Amino acid sequence: MKFLIHKTTLALAVLVSVSFTPAGAVDIVTKKSDAKKVSGSISAMSKTDVTIKRLQGDETIAANDLAAIEWDGGGPTLKLGYPEENSGQYELATKSFQKAKSEAKSPSPFLAGEYEYVLARVLARQALTDPDKREQAIQKLMAAQKAYPEHVRFYESALFLSQVQLAAKDFEGLHKTIEILKKAPWNDVKLAAQITESRALVSEGKIEDAIAGFEAVANSAGDSPVELARKYEAQLGQARGLILQTKLDEALKILEAVVEKASAEETAVLAEAYVLEGQALSRLGRNKEAVLAYLHVDVLFPREANFHAEALYQLSSLWKLVQQPDRSVEAAGKLVQIYPHSEWRKKLAGSE
């Protein structure tokens, strides 16, 4: 009888404990590979993975398989910031992240690091189309990495840093970041480092070396979705180099293959492919086809900001060549309104 009472008491204690756990008081990590949500408490973290403590046993998720984190201590304001960022509402996202940071009471080092990394990431996204923000973005990204070097966002942050450094033509800093990325334990990140290295060669005018680098990446990429995406990025790099060498038909063959094979989710790849198609077609004097290529970006991929800004700039010129001046004015107006600080807006001002 005593044993039965003890068992019942224990069961009631567990039930009461569960009943009084606040609703939603868990961290939730969503995986890229299978969209699975893993709920529990983040108990450990490094630059390569995050561990979730669960009743049924701990689960460790690699940083490059991380799609999203819902933080127990982040509150609704932090949760709001992520979709704002993903939809390109960067000013709103920054305000949400800053507010969430200021409202946080005794955040864990993991959550404190998240605030710094996501604020730096939003600034980096802005800097890719706004040259005036590039130095600030570089400093903020590096500050987050220095303050929280064992955070799961570390390598993601390094990828953004390499993009901003490339856009700013900070080649000395870029080469240091590339060496960091090459030390990542995942092949897709190493491939990204090689792609960035070849893009730097393009910027330095070393086109033959760049094309060889892109080709090496394309040939070595595996068949996983993330490595296929790197393969397509490398092939786009090859096409860009061929366009610079005026090997336009060769470039178009590569671009057509990428557009055919890339999945609809790979919006950055497709946006860049259509921009490059537009460049090649306009150089061949096929202006109506070039217009259609750039329109793909304007209509289907407006969230790919850098490519969208370029597409609008090119459309402002091409519409005139195909005798549609009203649409030229419309494209120029969109560029001015959406990307007032971009390099493409400044080029437009110089041609007016």
Side-chain angles (χ1 to χ4, degrees):
M1 185 67 177
K2 288 181 180 179
F3 173 73
L4 289 175
I5 292 171
H6 174 71
K7 252 180 107 174
T8 305
T9 305
L10 179 62
L12 284 170
V14 171
L15 180 61
V16 169
S17 169
V18 171
S19 300
F20 283 88
T21 299
V26 291
D27 301 309
I28 304 172
V29 174
T30 304
K31 298 164 66 177
K32 286 181 184 175
S33 54
D34 56 11
K36 176 184 174 185
K37 290 182 181 291
V38 182
S39 302
S41 175
I42 294 177
S43 59
M45 183 180 288
S46 74
K47 60 168 62 80
T48 58
D49 54 48
V50 59
T51 299
I52 311 298
K53 188 175 182 63
R54 312 167 70 201
L55 290 175
Q56 56 270 59
D58 293 359
E59 183 166 345
T60 299
I61 300 166
N64 72 330
D65 193 25
L66 178 66
I69 303 178
E70 294 179 41
W71 296 83
D72 170 28
T77 311
L78 177 61
K79 191 173 181 179
L80 177 65
Y82 297 120
E84 289 173 339
E85 178 189 3
N86 291 335
S87 63
Q89 300 178 82
Y90 299 135
E91 297 293 342
L92 287 177
T94 297
K95 289 179 181 178
S96 293
F97 291 144
Q98 287 175 335
K99 183 180 179 185
K101 177 183 174 181
S102 67
E103 292 174 343
K105 297 178 181 178
S106 302
S108 69
F110 309 141
L111 180 55
E114 178 76 355
Y115 292 130
E116 299 309 317
Y117 273 105
V118 295
L119 282 165
R121 185 178 66 196
V122 173
L123 185 57
R125 292 185 193 275
Q126 292 176 298
L128 292 175
T129 56
D130 186 347
D132 295 339
K133 293 184 183 292
R134 285 176 186 161
E135 184 56 36
Q136 184 186 357
I138 289 170
Q139 294 305 319
K140 197 163 184 65
L141 288 163
M142 292 178 70
Q145 292 166 15
K146 183 177 180 181
Y148 301 94
E150 289 301 321
H151 199 277
V152 74
R153 300 284 188 193
F154 179 88
Y155 281 112
E156 175 193 66
S157 174
L159 285 168
F160 273 104
L161 177 59
S162 70
Q163 293 176 39
V164 179
Q165 287 171 324
L166 179 59
K169 299 189 185 302
D170 175 12
F171 297 119
E172 182 179 351
L174 175 61
H175 290 307
K176 292 178 183 177
T177 305
I178 286 171
E179 291 307 309
I180 291 171
L181 291 169
K182 286 182 177 179
K183 294 175 183 176
W186 316 288
N187 197 43
D188 66 289
V189 176
K190 293 177 181 177
L191 292 174
Q194 292 175 255
I195 290 169
T196 304
E197 199 167 35
S198 294
R199 286 176 175 164
L201 290 172
V202 172
S203 294
E204 292 171 324
K206 301 173 183 177
I207 308 303
E208 286 290 348
D209 291 340
I211 291 175
F214 288 129
E215 189 174 358
V217 172
N219 290 337
S220 63
D223 295 329
S224 68
V226 68
E227 288 197 36
L228 279 175
R230 299 301 186 212
K231 177 179 181 177
Y232 300 145
E233 288 175 31
Q235 289 176 322
L236 293 177
Q238 285 180 272
R240 189 178 291 276
L242 291 168
I243 290 170
L244 291 171
Q245 293 180 327
T246 64
K247 297 177 181 178
L248 304 173
D249 290 325
E250 289 181 50
L252 285 171
K253 286 179 183 178
I254 293 173
L255 294 169
E256 287 165 6
V258 171
V259 168
E260 182 181 343
K261 293 177 182 178
S263 70
E265 288 74 30
E266 292 170 288
T267 56
V269 166
L270 290 168
E272 184 175 3
Y274 281 118
V275 161
L276 291 173
E277 273 195 2
Q279 289 181 13
L281 290 166
S282 63
R283 291 190 185 199
L284 286 167
R286 294 157 61 177
N287 293 328
K288 289 184 179 179
E289 293 172 77
V291 165
L292 289 174
Y294 288 123
L295 275 176
H296 274 84
V297 184
D298 185 27
V299 175
L300 299 177
F301 310 113
R303 290 184 184 175
E304 299 299 335
N306 202 33
F307 300 122
H308 188 217
E310 181 176 354
L312 291 172
Y313 172 79
Q314 301 294 354
L315 284 169
S316 70
S317 300
L318 284 167
W319 280 126
K320 294 176 185 176
L321 296 177
V322 296
Q323 309 303 314
Q324 297 212 39
D326 290 346
R327 300 200 69 173
S328 170
V329 172
E330 179 185 345
K334 285 178 73 173
L335 176 58
V336 171
Q337 180 183 1
I338 302 172
Y339 307 106
H341 305 295
S342 74
E343 290 165 316
W344 297 105
R345 167 65 181 99
K346 291 175 183 177
K347 285 185 179 182
L348 179 68
S351 65
E352 290 172 344

